[in-house]
Amino acid sequence: MAATTTSPSNIRWSFGRLAPLVSTPSFFACQFWRVLRLERTSSSSSRLPSPSTRFLVARSYIADGQSNLRQSRIDQFHQDVRKYFITVLEYIFKKLPVNADLLRHAEVVDVTKRVSAKFSDLTFFLDAYPSLLPAGCTVDSIAEDFATYQCLELESCIKPRLDQTWLAIAQLTDETGAFFLKDLASVMCGILVIPHSNAHCERIFSTVRKNRTDQRASLADDTLDALLVSKAKPGHPCDAARQHSKADLKQLKQAYYLANKATSATAATSS
């Protein structure tokens, strides 16, 4: 931008008109910060701060009335930011399965909504995934547990996460010391682990490709399975043993080099 156009009186940013052209709301604060930096030419900083800092500065900049932007431009900016987020939400509701039957019935696991929950929501999952039903348990017994569950005061069991909440409910005992909601809790925990996308499957495929490479194409399935399980365990005892010194790594690299060299020499001799 030329020097004659950087004065406050010549800066005429129409922020609202930029909204349909961008894909992230941080763009607005970024542009606003550029205006602020242009108008405060005494600032020697040439690096833009973090997006959260830019948002705070932009908001306070407008609120303090220090900007030279006309109020109509600021109002238009706010309206189009709101329009941007409305458009994003409309896109989400249009493209994502937010109204899918599975998600609608999955609200049955919410303990805070247990009074209004319907057993038909639970049978939706039992019919679709029969393996959710614990061994030796029937749908009728689950229905009895569900009716009991709806009548209980469970505020003391509510935790930050639903899986933790149902784990606490599974530990409830009756007068005889039996866990009377264990089967129902097992079904609810099974519903919670139903994947909401194929991201986890794709992640596994990617991990498999990294382990069964072209150089290890003959790797047996049992060996591959053991490798994947070992790498998936956090805090495995082998983690400490995987920390090698530079000297050990150097020796290992040299051993690989000598082994490959010997193999190549043997192959050349035999041919």
Side-chain angles (χ1 to χ4, degrees):
M1 184 178 292
T4 56
T5 61
T6 58
S7 62
S9 59
N10 292 329
I11 296 176
R12 294 295 181 264
W13 289 92
S14 180
F15 296 103
R17 299 186 183 279
L18 294 174
L21 305 178
V22 298
S23 59
T24 171
S26 63
F27 178 86
F28 300 119
C30 180
Q31 298 302 324
F32 209 104
W33 181 265
R34 292 180 189 277
V35 174
L36 184 64
R37 196 172 62 187
L38 287 172
E39 295 190 359
R40 298 181 179 180
T41 55
S42 60
S43 175
S44 58
S45 175
S46 59
R47 264 182 91 185
L48 289 177
S50 64
S52 59
T53 303
R54 294 201 298 267
F55 276 119
L56 292 175
V57 172
R59 185 167 59 182
S60 62
Y61 185 59
I62 294 176
D64 294 342
Q66 298 175 359
S67 68
N68 292 295
L69 299 173
R70 293 197 300 271
Q71 185 61 39
S72 60
R73 293 294 184 94
I74 296 177
D75 293 341
Q76 184 65 31
F77 170 72
H78 288 158
Q79 292 173 8
D80 284 338
V81 169
R82 178 184 176 86
K83 181 180 178 181
Y84 169 83
F85 284 107
I86 291 175
T87 304
V88 170
L89 289 175
E90 289 176 348
Y91 179 85
I92 290 174
F93 280 102
K94 181 180 179 181
K95 295 295 183 180
L96 299 182
V98 292
N99 295 320
D101 290 340
L102 188 142
L103 295 180
R104 180 167 54 83
H105 290 294
E107 291 186 356
V108 71
V109 302
D110 190 349
V111 179
T112 61
K113 298 180 180 179
R114 63 186 179 280
V115 176
S116 60
K118 300 179 181 178
F119 185 68
S120 59
D121 294 330
L122 197 59
T123 56
F124 170 85
F125 291 98
L126 294 176
D127 294 338
Y129 309 98
S131 59
L132 290 177
L133 199 63
C137 186
T138 64
V139 176
D140 292 338
S141 62
I142 293 294
E144 294 177 3
D145 292 346
F146 188 78
T148 303
Y149 152 74
Q150 288 186 301
C151 299
L152 295 176
E153 295 291 337
L154 300 173
E155 279 67 22
S156 60
C157 296
I158 295 178
K159 308 296 182 182
R161 289 174 17 188
L162 278 174
D163 58 335
Q164 296 173 341
T165 299
W166 279 105
L167 180 61
I169 293 175
Q171 303 301 316
L172 295 177
T173 57
D174 56 12
E175 295 82 359
T176 63
F179 301 109
F180 64 99
L181 292 180
K182 179 181 65 175
D183 293 334
L184 178 64
S186 176
V187 174
M188 294 299 189
C189 289
I191 295 174
L192 288 174
V193 299
I194 296 175
H196 62 279
S197 71
N198 64 342
H200 183 65
C201 299
E202 294 295 336
R203 196 175 296 116
I204 293 177
F205 293 150
S206 178
T207 306
V208 170
R209 286 193 295 270
K210 290 179 180 179
N211 286 272
R212 180 178 279 172
T213 61
D214 294 338
Q215 290 75 25
R216 307 170 72 186
S218 60
L219 194 66
D221 291 342
D222 292 340
T223 306
L224 178 63
D225 182 65
L227 285 172
L228 296 178
V229 171
S230 177
K231 292 183 177 182
K233 289 182 178 179
H236 195 273
C238 294
D239 290 344
R242 291 172 183 158
Q243 302 296 327
H244 302 289
S245 64
K246 290 185 178 180
D248 292 337
L249 293 175
K250 185 177 180 180
Q251 292 180 358
L252 183 62
K253 183 177 180 181
Q254 186 178 8
Y256 274 118
Y257 172 76
L258 294 176
N260 290 333
K261 185 177 181 180
T263 303
S264 301
T266 303
T269 303
S270 60
S271 60

Coordinates of all heavy atoms in Angstrom, one line a residue, residues 1 4-15 34-40 68-70 73:
M1 N 0.9 -1.2 0.0 CA 0.0 0.0 0.0 C 0.9 1.2 0.0 O 1.9 1.3 0.7 CB -0.9 0.0 1.2 CG -1.9 1.2 1.3 SD -3.0 1.0 2.7 CE -3.9 -0.4 2.3
T4 N 0.7 7.3 0.9 CA -0.4 8.3 0.9 C -1.7 7.6 1.3 O -2.7 8.3 1.5 CB -0.5 9.0 -0.4 OG1 -0.7 8.0 -1.5 CG2 0.7 9.8 -0.8
T5 N -1.8 6.3 1.3 CA -3.0 5.7 1.6 C -3.1 5.0 2.9 O -4.0 4.3 3.2 CB -3.3 4.6 0.5 OG1 -2.3 3.6 0.6 CG2 -3.4 5.2 -0.9
T6 N -2.1 5.2 3.7 CA -2.0 4.6 5.0 C -2.5 5.5 6.2 O -2.5 5.0 7.3 CB -0.6 4.1 5.4 OG1 0.3 5.3 5.3 CG2 -0.1 3.1 4.4
S7 N -2.9 6.7 5.9 CA -3.4 7.5 7.0 C -4.8 7.1 7.4 O -5.5 6.5 6.6 CB -3.5 9.0 6.5 OG -4.3 9.1 5.4
P8 N -5.2 7.4 8.6 CA -6.5 6.9 9.1 C -7.7 7.4 8.2 O -8.6 6.7 8.1 CB -6.6 7.5 10.5 CG -5.2 7.7 10.9 CD -4.4 8.0 9.7
S9 N -7.5 8.7 7.7 CA -8.7 9.2 6.9 C -8.8 8.5 5.6 O -9.9 8.5 5.0 CB -8.4 10.7 6.7 OG -7.2 10.9 6.0
N10 N -7.7 7.8 5.1 CA -7.8 7.2 3.8 C -8.1 5.7 3.9 O -8.3 5.0 2.9 CB -6.5 7.4 3.1 CG -6.3 8.8 2.7 OD1 -7.3 9.5 2.4 ND2 -5.1 9.3 2.6
I11 N -8.1 5.1 5.2 CA -8.3 3.7 5.3 C -9.8 3.4 5.3 O -10.5 4.0 6.2 CB -7.7 3.1 6.6 CG1 -6.2 3.3 6.5 CG2 -8.0 1.7 6.8 CD1 -5.5 2.9 7.8
R12 N -10.3 2.7 4.4 CA -11.8 2.4 4.3 C -12.0 0.9 4.1 O -12.2 0.5 3.0 CB -12.4 3.2 3.1 CG -12.4 4.7 3.3 CD -13.3 5.1 4.5 NE -13.3 6.6 4.7 CZ -12.5 7.2 5.5 NH1 -11.6 6.5 6.3 NH2 -12.6 8.5 5.7
W13 N -11.8 0.2 5.2 CA -12.0 -1.2 5.1 C -13.5 -1.6 5.3 O -14.1 -1.2 6.3 CB -11.3 -1.9 6.3 CG -9.8 -1.9 6.1 CD1 -8.9 -1.0 6.6 CD2 -9.0 -2.9 5.4 NE1 -7.6 -1.3 6.2 CE2 -7.7 -2.5 5.5 CE3 -9.3 -4.0 4.7 CZ2 -6.6 -3.2 4.9 CZ3 -8.3 -4.7 4.1 CH2 -7.0 -4.3 4.2
S14 N -14.0 -2.3 4.3 CA -15.4 -2.8 4.4 C -15.3 -4.2 4.9 O -15.3 -5.2 4.1 CB -16.1 -2.7 3.1 OG -17.4 -3.1 3.2
F15 N -15.3 -4.4 6.2 CA -15.0 -5.8 6.7 C -16.2 -6.7 6.4 O -16.0 -7.9 6.1 CB -14.9 -5.7 8.2 CG -13.7 -5.0 8.7 CD1 -13.8 -3.7 9.2 CD2 -12.4 -5.5 8.6 CE1 -12.7 -3.0 9.6 CE2 -11.3 -4.8 9.1 CZ -11.5 -3.6 9.6
R34 N -4.5 -5.5 11.0 CA -3.7 -4.7 10.0 C -4.1 -3.3 10.0 O -3.3 -2.4 9.8 CB -3.9 -5.4 8.6 CG -3.3 -6.8 8.5 CD -3.6 -7.4 7.2 NE -3.2 -8.8 7.1 CZ -2.0 -9.2 6.9 NH1 -1.0 -8.3 6.7 NH2 -1.7 -10.5 6.9
V35 N -5.4 -3.0 10.1 CA -5.9 -1.6 10.1 C -5.3 -0.9 11.3 O -4.8 0.2 11.3 CB -7.4 -1.5 10.1 CG1 -7.9 -0.1 10.3 CG2 -7.9 -2.1 8.8
L36 N -5.4 -1.6 12.5 CA -4.9 -1.0 13.7 C -3.4 -0.7 13.6 O -2.9 0.4 14.0 CB -5.1 -2.0 14.9 CG -4.7 -1.5 16.3 CD1 -5.6 -0.3 16.7 CD2 -4.9 -2.6 17.3
R37 N -2.6 -1.6 13.0 CA -1.2 -1.4 12.8 C -0.9 -0.3 11.9 O 0.1 0.5 12.0 CB -0.5 -2.7 12.4 CG 1.0 -2.7 12.6 CD 1.5 -4.0 12.3 NE 1.3 -4.4 10.9 CZ 1.6 -5.6 10.4 NH1 2.1 -6.5 11.2 NH2 1.4 -5.9 9.1
L38 N -1.7 -0.1 10.8 CA -1.5 1.0 9.9 C -1.8 2.3 10.5 O -1.1 3.3 10.3 CB -2.4 0.8 8.6 CG -2.0 -0.4 7.7 CD1 -3.1 -0.6 6.6 CD2 -0.7 0.0 7.0
E39 N -2.9 2.3 11.4 CA -3.2 3.6 12.0 C -2.3 4.0 13.1 O -2.1 5.2 13.4 CB -4.7 3.5 12.5 CG -5.7 3.3 11.3 CD -7.1 3.5 11.8 OE1 -7.3 3.7 13.0 OE2 -8.0 3.4 11.0
R40 N -1.6 3.0 13.7 CA -0.6 3.3 14.7 C 0.8 3.0 14.1 O 1.4 2.0 14.4 CB -0.9 2.4 15.9 CG -2.3 2.7 16.6 CD -2.5 1.8 17.8 NE -3.8 2.1 18.4 CZ -4.2 1.4 19.5 NH1 -3.5 0.5 20.0 NH2 -5.4 1.7 20.0
N68 N -11.4 5.1 13.5 CA -11.9 6.2 12.7 C -12.9 5.6 11.7 O -13.3 6.3 10.7 CB -10.7 6.8 11.9 CG -9.8 7.6 12.8 OD1 -10.3 8.6 13.4 ND2 -8.6 7.2 13.0
L69 N -13.3 4.4 11.9 CA -14.3 3.8 11.0 C -15.7 4.4 11.3 O -16.0 4.6 12.5 CB -14.3 2.3 11.2 CG -13.0 1.5 10.8 CD1 -13.2 0.1 11.2 CD2 -12.7 1.6 9.4
R70 N -16.5 4.5 10.3 CA -17.8 5.0 10.5 C -18.6 3.9 11.2 O -18.4 2.7 11.0 CB -18.5 5.4 9.2 CG -17.8 6.6 8.5 CD -18.7 7.1 7.4 NE -19.0 6.2 6.4 CZ -18.3 6.0 5.3 NH1 -17.2 6.7 5.1 NH2 -18.6 5.1 4.4
R73 N -20.1 1.2 9.0 CA -19.1 0.2 8.6 C -19.0 -0.9 9.7 O -18.9 -2.0 9.4 CB -17.8 0.8 8.3 CG -17.8 1.7 7.0 CD -18.1 0.9 5.8 NE -18.0 1.7 4.6 CZ -16.9 1.9 3.8 NH1 -15.8 1.2 4.1 NH2 -17.0 2.6 2.7

